Amino acid sequence: MAHGRAGRSRLGTWLLVAAIVAVALNQRPAVVAVAPLLADLRADTGLSSALAGLLTTVPVLCFGAFAPVAPRLAQRVGLETAVGASLLLLAAGIALRLLSPVALLYAGSLLAGAAIALANVLLPAYVKREFARPGAVMGAYSAALNIGAGAGAALTLPLADALDVGWRTALGLWLFLALGGLVLWLPVAGTGRSRRGADVPPGGSWSLLRHPLARRVCAFLAMQSVQFYAVAAWLPTLLADAGVPTGEGGWLLGLSNVVGAAGALLAPAQAGRMRGQRPLVAVVVAAYAIGLAGLLLSPASGTLVWVCAWGVAQGSGFALALTLIVLRSPTPLVAARLGGVAQCLGYLVAASGPLLLGALRDLTRGWTWPLLLLLAAVVPMAWAGWGAARDAVLPVDERAPEPVSAG
């Protein structure tokens, strides 16, 4: 376990980690729980496929659009209060989707996406502030993201069937997880009033991009996110086109998330022990290359190996990208600002991945060129990650010309 800051007992540290994990578990189910219920949702509301698809697209776009708001909120009210506010906003978004008008279904999805965008940025910054060695806690946080996503996808429909409830109530069940996270967060993390405005560097978030180090961190997160969302959207279809049974394709996608959770747990913990993280970048890049090349050359043979390799790549890659934001930042609010910029750019770029891959597949009537494009995209990812993983941190004053050595 990472060491907490001075003045906190071992029990207090464990409770704080549990609160962080509880918040992380809430950052995906409200989004991914929609997909298993789309058939019932469309039958009840009469929505077209395109409009129904927006319910899963809107939150991802919100992840990018609202990410830059998080550092400003943290500066105004403190990190702890801002995280608590994100959970309240998430609960409100989930509750709105319980109401009948279809417009409120979209409003709830937008609120939930905005809430998750705030927590996406704020939690790594909070970990940066509270733990002298944040790697292990970032691993637990990243693994909880994967577990929450898997739970939302796998449990929503079975819970609805077991409780004999409709799709609205099934979506609303995740409200209990959000409220539970809030109940655990508030007494452990506090209100943050004493820290409001602390460690505030001069300048704005986007001015960080004047530094090559910040640009590399942002590019690594963006390229990794493109890979994840593009493959996750089309993997079952790709495998089905190669002759793999449709049900097996969905199971393999779920397996990749489980494998990804293990990678997400281990990569940040290891990163926190290293002065530079270039060996980990090399592992992520190699795993992507193996997984994508296998799906290109032999999708129906050795499928389990290729999917697991991709799972390792996406789980450890995303976790490493978040950890690099923390490790390359000198203060928690610089971490929040860098995270806001990186996730804004990353998620907005990532949203184009599934569309581009689908369009290329339709144009070429196959998966060869889409997979070659993803393989080619591994090269700029490696370049960005190699620079982002060097032993350096950004200057506290964003107007300073160069990063400084982390050692």
Side-chain angles (χ1 to χ4, degrees):
M1 174 58 59
H3 297 292
R5 298 295 183 186
R8 183 183 296 122
S9 67
R10 182 178 294 272
L11 176 60
T13 298
W14 279 105
L15 288 173
L16 181 57
V17 172
I20 291 168
V21 168
V23 177
L25 287 171
N26 276 284
Q27 288 178 240
R28 295 298 181 267
V31 177
V32 301
V34 174
L37 301 169
L38 278 179
D40 291 340
L41 186 154
R42 290 185 60 206
D44 186 34
T45 61
L47 290 176
S48 66
S49 295
L51 287 175
L54 272 179
L55 290 171
T56 58
T57 303
V58 164
V60 177
L61 293 174
C62 287
F63 291 175
F66 288 94
V69 176
R72 298 179 183 179
L73 182 63
Q75 181 176 340
R76 182 174 295 272
V77 302
L79 279 168
E80 297 95 331
T81 305
V83 172
S86 77
L87 287 170
L88 279 174
L89 191 63
L90 176 62
I94 295 173
L96 271 182
R97 299 197 296 197
L98 288 167
L99 303 179
S100 295
V102 173
L104 293 182
L105 187 61
Y106 288 92
S109 295
L110 190 149
L111 277 182
I116 295 167
L118 297 177
N120 280 343
V121 174
L122 296 171
L123 256 295
Y126 183 79
V127 171
K128 168 76 174 179
R129 193 190 75 191
E130 293 299 318
F131 294 90
R133 296 181 181 177
V137 182
M138 284 301 298
Y141 164 76
S142 302
L145 291 179
N146 282 65
I147 293 168
L155 298 181
T156 301
L157 199 53
L159 281 174
D161 292 339
L163 298 173
D164 193 24
V165 296
W167 63 268
R168 286 188 186 275
T169 304
L171 288 177
L173 291 174
W174 296 105
L175 179 61
F176 293 103
L177 185 64
L179 294 176
L182 184 63
V183 167
L184 185 57
W185 176 260
L186 290 180
V188 173
T191 64
R193 289 175 182 168
S194 62
R195 296 179 182 267
R196 184 181 303 165
D199 301 322
V200 180
S205 297
W206 294 100
S207 62
L208 286 168
L209 292 179
R210 72 182 65 184
H211 296 294
L213 180 61
R215 294 197 296 270
R216 295 282 191 99
V217 170
C218 292
F220 182 65
L221 178 64
M223 297 306 297
Q224 197 285 141
S225 298
V226 168
Q227 294 278 357
F228 169 71
Y229 282 101
V231 176
W234 288 108
L235 181 63
T237 304
L238 184 157
L239 295 177
D241 289 349
V244 177
T246 303
E248 189 174 331
W251 175 82
L252 287 167
L253 180 58
L255 176 64
S256 73
N257 283 324
V258 174
V259 175
L265 181 64
L266 296 174
Q270 186 60 37
R273 300 187 186 102
M274 305 168 71
R275 291 177 64 88
Q277 293 73 37
R278 285 175 171 174
L280 295 178
V281 171
V283 170
V284 169
V285 169
Y288 266 121
I290 292 169
L292 293 171
L295 291 172
L296 172 65
L297 299 174
S298 182
S301 178
T303 310
L304 186 63
V305 176
W306 317 139
V307 169
C308 285
W310 182 76
V312 169
Q314 62 88 9
S316 57
F318 182 68
L320 179 59
L322 293 180
T323 305
L324 289 175
I325 291 171
V326 171
L327 296 177
R328 299 291 86 89
S329 300
T331 69
L333 280 173
V334 171
R337 286 174 168 172
L338 180 58
V341 171
Q343 295 194 45
C344 176
L345 296 175
Y347 282 117
L348 292 179
V349 171
S352 67
L355 297 175
L356 180 59
L357 217 66
L360 191 56
R361 184 247 189 183
D362 290 343
L363 181 65
T364 62
R365 300 182 183 277
W367 289 104
T368 298
W369 284 105
L371 286 169
L372 283 173
L373 178 64
L374 289 177
L375 273 169
V378 171
V379 176
M381 179 201 299
W383 170 82
W386 200 255
R390 70 187 179 94
D391 180 25
V393 295
L394 291 165
V396 175
D397 187 340
E398 297 160 17
R399 296 165 296 188
E402 294 293 338
V404 297
S405 171

